[in-house]
Amino acid sequence: MRTCLVVDDSSVIRKVARRILEGLDFQIVEAEDGAKALEACKRAMPDAVLLDWNMPVMDGFEFLVQLRRMPGGDQPKVVFCTTENGIDHISRALHAGANEYIMKPFDKDIVIAKFQEVGLLALDASAEA
């Protein structure tokens, strides 16, 4: 089973993301900040990361930079999921190694579409889910 690390300081967002992604056959690991997310990646590198930008301790951008420097850290597909919608934020995230970008609030259809775009789901996943 594929794993997705959901990184967000909001327990509500993590719960919503978990419900959507479990429905798409992902095993979920949660972290409430970038530092805890890095620890989770050191234990077991996920297939995907759904990543918030603004968090205490370590923000999503710093997590992404450090993840991509780790052995195997180039493997997970990283999808930012944030309220930061400025082109400068999006550009920085993609340049640092993010694969896609989702704006909050999000729903199941948006997650499916973005995960299909980065190759985490087959194109017919929305019909099955």
Side-chain angles (χ1 to χ4, degrees):
M1 180 178 278
R2 295 165 303 169
T3 58
C4 183
L5 174 60
V6 177
V7 189
D8 200 300
D9 56 326
S10 165
S11 61
V12 172
I13 295 293
R14 291 195 313 269
K15 184 176 183 179
V16 169
R18 172 183 285 275
R19 189 173 306 126
I20 291 170
L21 291 165
E22 284 179 342
L24 297 171
D25 289 330
F26 280 89
Q27 180 178 337
I28 306 304
V29 177
E30 294 184 22
E32 60 265 22
D33 62 58
K36 287 189 171 74
L38 277 179
E39 290 303 315
C41 290
K42 288 175 186 171
R43 287 191 298 274
M45 195 62 71
D47 298 298
V49 180
L50 190 63
L51 180 63
D52 186 22
W53 191 294
N54 296 307
M55 296 177 289
V57 185
M58 179 188 292
D59 68 20
F61 183 80
E62 182 60 29
F63 163 80
L64 176 61
V65 169
Q66 291 195 32
L67 170 70
R68 292 305 193 207
R69 291 179 183 155
M70 292 174 65
D74 58 334
Q75 295 302 309
K77 300 291 187 186
V78 176
V79 178
F80 259 106
C81 180
T82 181
T83 58
E84 296 294 346
N85 63 356
I87 191 69
D88 56 325
H89 278 90
I90 296 170
S91 176
R92 279 181 66 209
L94 295 175
H95 185 72
N99 299 93
E100 256 305 339
Y101 212 91
I102 294 175
M103 297 306 306
K104 288 179 184 175
F106 60 92
D107 62 20
K108 179 180 175 181
D109 292 338
I110 292 169
V111 172
I112 289 172
K114 294 298 184 176
F115 274 47
Q116 286 173 336
E117 284 180 36
V118 300
L120 287 165
L121 291 172
L123 292 177
D124 62 353
S126 57
E128 299 168 11

